[in-house]
Amino acid sequence: MRDIMGMMGKVKEMQAKMEQMQAEIASLTAEGKSGGGLVTVVVTGKGEMQSLKIDPSLFKEDDVEILEDLIVAAHKDAKEKADAVAAEKTKALTAGLPIPPGFKMPF
């Protein structure tokens, strides 16, 4: 019976840590760049675009498709960086737990 109570305490502790980590991930930002810095995108830890900066030299009518591709590439770069930080935070929190490889937390 004592083991169950101890385990329940650890579950509550882990739940509190997970909630704190989710809040940290939601508040973090990552910056992605493409085109040698001509396009910069900032995303939140959840992958939502927060800002977009475009170098004025790209505003030519003939370069619209290039600009669109650079925006997508910068967003992808920023999202990958945010995902990497979230994965590291999750890995640190769940160290020692029997979680299957490749398991993604639901956030």
Side-chain angles (χ1 to χ4, degrees), residues 25 32 36 44 46 75 77-78 90:
I25 289 172
T44 66
K46 291 186 175 186
H75 184 270
D77 184 41
T90 302

Side-chain angles (χ1 to χ4, degrees), residues 2-70:
R2 187 170 207 176
D3 289 332
I4 291 174
M5 295 303 285
M7 187 170 67
M8 292 301 290
K10 288 186 186 246
V11 167
K12 285 188 179 201
E13 182 181 324
M14 176 62 86
Q15 184 179 14
K17 286 181 181 180
M18 288 292 287
E19 288 172 3
Q20 178 184 0
M21 185 183 64
Q22 286 174 342
E24 287 176 18
I25 289 172
S27 68
L28 75 87
T29 60
E31 181 179 273
K33 296 183 180 204
S34 65
L38 294 174
V39 175
T40 303
V41 171
V42 176
V43 297
T44 66
K46 291 186 175 186
E48 297 167 354
M49 190 183 306
Q50 217 173 30
S51 69
L52 168 67
K53 292 180 185 172
I54 302 170
D55 188 280
S57 68
L58 292 173
F59 291 108
K60 298 176 187 165
E61 196 170 315
D62 299 341
D63 296 336
V64 172
E65 285 184 34
I66 293 170
L67 180 58
E68 291 169 347
D69 290 343
L70 289 172

